[in-house]
Amino acid sequence: MTVAAVCAALLTLPALPASAAVPGDGAAPAPRIHDIQGTTRVSPLAGRHVADVPGIVTGVRDFGSARGFWMQDPHPDRNPATSEGLFVHTGEESPGVSVGDSLRVAGRVGEYYPGGEEAGGQSVTELTDATWKAAGERGNRGEGELPAAFRLTPRSVPAAYAPDAGGDSIENLRLRPDRYALDRYEALEGMRVAVRDAQVTGPTSPYHDLWVTTDRHQNPTPQGGTLYGSYEDQNGARVKVSSLLPLQEHPFPQANVGDELRGTTEGPLDYDQFGGYTLRATTLGSHRDHHLERERTRGQRPDELAVATYNVENLSPASEPAKFRRLADGLVTNLSSPDIVTVEEVQDDTGPEDDGTVSADRTLAMLTEAIEKAGGPSYEWRQTDPVDQADGGQPGGNIRVAFLYNPERVSFTDRPGGDATTPVRVVDEGGEPALSASPGRIAPQDPAWKASRKPLAGEFRFRGRTVFVVANHFSSKGGGDLEGDQPMEGRFQPPARHSEPQRVEQGRLLNAFVRDIRARDRDAVVVAGGDFNDFPFSPTLDALRSGHALTSPMNRLPEDERYGYVFNGNSQTLDHLLTSPGAGRPEYDIVHINAEFADQISDHDPSVVRIRRH
């Protein structure tokens, strides 16, 4: 899933009339923070200058280009919908304040949209162009004394996720923190919050953050994650955790799913474009390692055809040598050397360098050589070069799908004629279905594949029988060159899935292709594998399975084991291996070696299906 960073923006407001009162200038009493925050997501004072706003500094961001500090009113009102915390933005300048300082602050109230207003996220109420002075209350409070942190627990965070606005904005709806998780978090925006003995549901990222759950009983997975099992199971107990502590003195824990942050983790609650509400920790719990182990699947028996799928995440000769070694070890050791592998995100031979190169022979040669060095078979490969810059993905990389296969176990039926733009057709050959080109791309010029990878079909032979395999990488939820989905935690509820119609059309095209094969041989064995970028319960998968052309053997796994990708603390499924009825009842295994680990070589777990041939 590709996430495009968009420039941040402030809510644009019309100029205030000359008669607007300026709090603190003698026209009106100085507001408190809860007056600024109000009872909706947008401040009733947005665009106005305020002065003499009292608060205790609860956190300082003294790095990056969005520096500033959080402050909280030590004398809250009795309305649970009004936050008592506020961020004071100082830009690239360090604020020069310390946690525990008691201040009176002046500044302009603004609504800041991380990632830009068009990204669909919620805004953060903040003060800009701020000045401040020490408050006389400091001696009464005592230096360093902070307001108590609000503890996030299964009882304090509602199970229902967000109000339903029919797809419209929820910004102006009155907050109901006792009913909706997103309202609870918004009513705590800028305030000190705490989690205790929190279980990790999203591993530490390269950006020094992780996800925890405030309710470990909310749709748990066997490994300690949280399953995203439907569009109604958003799992609002998830919260992202990052740190305000200096990394050199307080290294961020390298945690896997199922690990814990023992004790108390607390700090002001913020909102960012990559996941929404984030606890900016001023105190981090201690990391308890639960020693999550990478799985290994069993080897296939002589009469079993093992077909795997693996998204290798922008693999090219520019990748680190260790990436090739670890991918190879995973294929050989953890996947037990499958007979056929559909591989996604294979880049061209110059990787992200945008120089017109489209060949991926060197990339695939380096991968297969690494597999052989790891003790695996001497895989051969088949693929079709795309048109330059036509298939989306990392600019210049020309990602595509490819087949690896073990010639000692299966053979590939080469049929000339396949290229980037010529569609493969199903033809009759001696009364049996065959491909007009092998490998060949399915409907590559159909508008459904705009800025997306085209499926690659190939004919294989296993123990005297033809097996049709299709490698896939459907369009991204992030949009890439097209419009992406609105964020789950955004201001539009329920969020629009803008990218979905394209994948549904892609699914229909693939479904029609499989039907063409089965129209000539009802018992034909077809395997469609890859990164479909959609969920088992999605309209895309419904389109793929329409008319029972394909089935999901994954559905025979226990429901809480159906995941191979972790996004924003939710364990979910994007990769699938679908089979035709002629394949019988294959055995399915998702091999968890990446998605739940901080140290991962790809963000996807591979999967394997074993088809028995008598």
Side-chain angles (χ1 to χ4, degrees):
M1 300 172 69
T2 304
V3 181
V6 190
C7 293
L10 281 170
L11 177 66
T12 302
L13 294 160
L16 290 171
S19 60
V22 179
D25 66 355
R32 312 290 291 200
I33 290 176
H34 47 253
D35 298 321
I36 295 171
Q37 287 283 7
T39 58
T40 69
R41 286 171 164 80
V42 176
S43 171
L45 301 180
R48 300 189 185 188
H49 185 272
V50 295
D52 290 331
V53 181
I56 305 291
V57 176
T58 58
V60 180
R61 183 157 58 208
D62 204 14
F63 53 85
S65 59
R67 304 186 187 197
F69 60 90
W70 288 266
M71 66 177 191
Q72 185 166 334
D73 195 324
H75 303 296
D77 65 8
R78 295 185 177 183
N79 188 345
T82 56
S83 171
E84 302 293 342
L86 187 65
F87 183 66
V88 180
H89 178 252
T90 60
E92 297 184 359
E93 297 294 325
S94 295
V97 299
S98 300
V99 171
D101 286 353
S102 182
L103 305 176
R104 286 190 173 269
V105 182
R108 183 165 295 274
V109 180
E111 293 291 338
Y112 168 72
Y113 289 92
E117 190 172 355
E118 293 76 19
Q122 298 189 54
S123 63
V124 177
T125 304
E126 64 178 22
L127 293 185
T128 59
D129 301 323
T131 59
W132 54 87
K133 60 184 178 181
E137 295 181 358
R138 179 168 185 161
N140 298 329
R141 292 287 306 166
E143 184 173 350
E145 186 177 347
L146 302 178
F150 183 96
R151 188 172 170 192
L152 303 176
T153 69
R155 296 189 64 180
S156 67
V157 179
Y161 190 65
D164 188 334
D168 291 336
S169 174
I170 59 174
E171 280 187 326
N172 295 317
L173 298 182
R174 185 178 177 86
L175 295 173
R176 303 172 72 181
D178 293 331
R179 181 158 186 182
Y180 300 111
L182 285 192
D183 284 15
R184 167 61 74 201
Y185 295 135
E186 178 62 24
L188 296 170
E189 179 192 271
M191 292 177 61
R192 278 168 43 83
V193 299
V195 293
R196 183 166 180 81
D197 297 338
Q199 187 164 288
V200 175
T201 66
T204 302
S205 80
Y207 306 101
H208 308 293
D209 55 44
L210 53 78
W211 287 78
V212 299
T213 180
T214 63
D215 182 1
R216 61 182 66 205
H217 300 294
Q218 188 175 71
N219 298 318
T221 69
Q223 304 282 38
T226 298
L227 184 73
Y228 182 54
S230 77
Y231 294 123
E232 289 73 42
D233 288 328
Q234 301 97 330
N235 299 314
R238 297 169 298 112
V239 176
K240 190 165 76 168
V241 175
S242 70
S243 178
L244 294 175
L245 303 169
L247 286 175
Q248 289 186 340
E249 300 170 27
H250 303 275
F252 198 79
Q254 294 297 295
N256 301 324
V257 168
D259 289 357
E260 288 182 275
L261 294 182
R262 296 289 292 175
T264 297
T265 297
E266 63 186 11
L269 189 66
D270 194 15
Y271 184 96
D272 74 25
Q273 71 187 93
F274 300 112
Y277 293 101
T278 302
L279 193 164
R280 306 290 186 189
T282 54
T283 300
L284 265 173
S286 60
H287 175 212
R288 175 174 286 187
D289 189 344
H290 282 208
H291 304 288
L292 183 65
E293 293 187 1
R294 289 177 164 84
E295 295 181 351
R296 295 186 181 188
T297 196
R298 70 169 178 84
Q300 61 272 28
R301 301 183 182 97
D303 64 345
E304 290 178 321
L305 174 68
V307 183
T309 186
Y310 201 170
N311 184 321
V312 294
E313 196 180 8
N314 290 323
L315 183 70
S316 79
S319 302
E320 293 292 330
K323 179 163 186 170
F324 285 93
R325 290 196 300 270
R326 291 185 60 189
L327 285 171
D329 187 61
L331 284 160
V332 174
T333 302
N334 301 91
L335 270 76
S336 296
S337 300
D339 301 315
I340 302 169
V341 187
T342 71
V343 188
E344 300 82 52
E345 291 200 21
V346 174
Q347 290 194 345
D348 64 41
D349 292 336
T350 58
E353 184 177 346
D354 192 2
D355 59 0
T357 299
V358 293
S359 169
D361 287 347
R362 186 173 171 221
T363 305
L364 289 164
M366 292 174 67
L367 177 58
T368 53
E369 288 167 7
I371 292 170
E372 193 168 1
K373 287 180 182 178
S378 299
Y379 281 109
E380 296 184 10
W381 73 83
R382 295 292 187 274
Q383 64 95 39
T384 298
D385 292 334
V387 173
D388 187 33
Q389 301 185 25
D391 286 8
Q394 185 177 20
N398 287 314
I399 59 172
R400 82 287 310 274
V401 296
F403 298 119
L404 304 183
Y405 69 95
N406 179 1
E408 298 297 319
R409 291 269 299 164
V410 298
S411 62
F412 190 86
T413 304
D414 287 292
R415 299 183 189 275
D419 59 28
T421 58
T422 302
V424 61
R425 294 176 293 107
V426 181
V427 298
D428 285 311
E429 184 177 87
E432 300 291 332
L435 301 181
S436 61
S438 178
R441 300 178 109 193
I442 296 174
Q445 299 194 71
D446 192 284
W449 305 110
K450 181 181 179 182
S452 180
R453 285 64 55 187
K454 286 67 174 172
L456 188 69
E459 263 186 67
F460 293 84
R461 297 283 289 180
F462 175 69
R463 293 172 69 92
R465 184 168 186 182
T466 297
V467 177
F468 299 94
V469 182
V470 185
N472 303 273
H473 188 184
F474 281 15
S475 57
S476 167
K477 287 183 176 296
D481 295 336
L482 304 175
E483 188 174 11
D485 295 355
Q486 290 175 341
M488 180 190 296
E489 66 285 345
R491 67 185 185 275
F492 299 104
Q493 294 294 334
R497 302 190 294 271
H498 294 303
S499 68
E500 183 177 83
Q502 184 183 20
R503 284 191 302 279
V504 171
E505 287 304 310
Q506 293 171 350
R508 288 172 178 162
L509 287 173
L510 179 53
N511 176 272
F513 182 79
V514 175
R515 287 188 187 216
D516 281 350
I517 295 174
R518 296 194 67 230
R520 292 164 173 81
D521 179 4
R522 189 168 179 272
D523 296 323
V525 178
V526 184
V527 181
D531 178 0
F532 291 92
N533 264 317
D534 228 329
F535 311 119
F537 48 83
S538 67
T540 301
L541 269 292
D542 289 342
L544 285 164
R545 295 181 295 237
S546 176
H548 303 288
L550 293 167
T551 62
S552 294
M554 181 196 301
N555 289 346
R556 289 193 287 276
L557 292 175
E559 188 172 349
D560 60 2
E561 295 180 15
R562 300 175 198 170
Y563 66 90
Y565 189 82
V566 177
F567 181 70
N568 288 351
N570 266 333
S571 296
Q572 53 196 252
T573 301
L574 300 177
D575 305 88
H576 303 264
L577 286 160
L578 306 174
T579 58
S580 63
R585 290 175 60 85
E587 182 180 284
Y588 199 96
D589 194 7
I590 303 171
V591 188
H592 301 295
I593 59 176
N594 286 319
E596 297 173 300
F597 294 85
D599 176 23
Q600 53 185 226
I601 201 62
S602 168
D603 51 355
H604 292 251
D605 287 330
S607 301
V608 62
V609 65
R610 287 181 281 267
I611 301 169
R612 193 172 181 185
R613 172 68 169 138
H614 295 288

